[in-house]
């Protein structure tokens, strides 16, 4: 055999082997767009329609009802097509979470709410995500004013009925029905709330994936693991802030995972739980390593230029898309690098 034929045979063998390995490891979708079409929950994992485990990685907006410190930018302004393109191309994100406070200033149930504007922002987000082959999470951001989601159950049902009807044909929309129940809100109350809101969504969008918050600011996945909901395609929220929550919380998460609970980290920060101070690369890296090992999706708080550690954009930067690395904060640079290395 001449030299050329030998080289050709080796080339063919190596190519066949490489393609085989990629297919076997289920990385075909990963190598491409990182968009997998309609998702489903299978066992404890988020999967594509063929049952292959997938991971979503991306960023959450700050509250779309809030404005920047100087009032120049509404945080909903970051929800636009060009921004999503930047997040996809330069951050390798495949999901954006749109955080809409249920309460607090301008939140959906607050008396200052501009519901039309909030819904228009969500609409922009769903369409921008679809146009860019990305997923979008519509987050009912329960937090401080009424930490028990049952308090605004009626408004939540009407909101989720509206959006799930409107986006029933979109396979990129994920519904997060209560960000972080807290102040002693029990799992029993959350289940009661979920059993009323989930059927409303499912009536319009039967196969949709839904994320349910857990007690104590979405930390008590252990409680949910012992008593999960009866619905299919449900993920349970687990949130952490790397400089506050460490090994004991990582154990709590892995224990719930080992018990079979499908978990989604719909919010995490690289800093203190306050969202300000304590940027911690080492602990953030440890978390990401664990999440990747368990194939758990993760969404960073937050896409905005507020002068606080969690923000990914510098407060001096007024751009609402097309950010360069120099426009990013310490946390933003870490996020870009981390998602790019996945
Ligand atoms: C924080 C924001 C901050 C805002 C505060 C109250 O970063 O600018 O003033 O909310 O609205 C959460 C919440 C998330 C918090 C974040 C940081 O889901 O809304 O954002 N955090 O405190 N849970 C744990 C931490």
């Amino acid at each position: 055999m001449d030299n050329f034929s030998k080289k050709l045979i080796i080339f063919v063998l190596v190519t066949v082997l490489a393609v085989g390995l990629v297919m076997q490891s289920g990385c075909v979708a990963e190598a491409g767009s990182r968009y997998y079409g309609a998702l489903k929950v299978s066992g404890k994992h988020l999967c594509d329609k063929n049952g292959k485990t997938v991971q979503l990685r991306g960023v959450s907006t700050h509250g779309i009802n809030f404005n920047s410190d100087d009032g120049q930018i509404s945080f909903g302004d970051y929800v636009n097509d060009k921004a999503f393109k930047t997040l996809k191309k330069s951050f390798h994100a495949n999901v954006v979470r749109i955080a809409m406070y249920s309460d607090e200033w301008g939140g959906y149930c607050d008396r200052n709410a501009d519901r039309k504007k909030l819904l228009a922002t969500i609409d922009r987000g769903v369409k921008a995500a679809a146009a860019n082959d990305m997923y979008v999470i519509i987050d009912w951001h329960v937090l401080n004013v009424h930490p028990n989601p049952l308090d605004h159950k009626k408004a939540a049902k009407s909101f989720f009925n509206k959006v799930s009807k409107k986006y029933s044909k979109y396979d990129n929309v994920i519904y997060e029905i209560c960000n972080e129940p807290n102040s002693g809100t029990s799992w029993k109350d959350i289940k009661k709330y979920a059993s009323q809101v989930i059927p409303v969504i499912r009536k319009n969008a039967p196969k949709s994936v839904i994320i349910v918050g857990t007690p104590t600011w979405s930390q008590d996945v252990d409680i949910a693991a012992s008593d999960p909901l009866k619905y299919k395609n449900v993920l349970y929220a687990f949130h952490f802030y790397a400089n506050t929550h460490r090994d004991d919380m990582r154990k709590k998460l892995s224990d719930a995972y080992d018990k079979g609970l499908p978990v989604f980290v719909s919010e995490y920060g690289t800093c203190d739980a306050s969202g300000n101070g304590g940027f911690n690369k080492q602990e953030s890296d440890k978390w990401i390593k664990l999440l990747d090992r368990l194939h758990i999706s993760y969404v960073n708080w937050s896409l905005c230029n507020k002068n606080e550690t969690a923000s990914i954009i510098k407060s001096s930067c007024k751009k609402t898309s097309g950010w360069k690395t120099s426009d990013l904060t310490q946390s933003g640079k870490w996020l870009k690098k981390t998602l790019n290395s996945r």
Side-chain angles (χ1 to χ4, degrees), residues 33-34 81-94 131-132 134 322-323 336 339-340:
S33 72
R34 295 163 196 257
D81 184 73
K82 280 189 182 159
F84 282 38
K85 274 196 171 65
T86 310
L87 292 169
K88 181 176 177 174
K89 295 235 161 73
S90 104
F91 285 75
H92 272 74
N94 59 358
N132 289 291
M134 295 170 87
W323 312 284
K336 186 173 172 182
L339 297 189
N340 269 293

Side-chain angles (χ1 to χ4, degrees), residues 237-249:
F238 178 82
H239 293 176
F240 67 86
Y241 279 73
N243 200 41
T244 304
H245 309 118
R246 302 185 181 200
D247 286 339
D248 51 339
M249 286 283 283

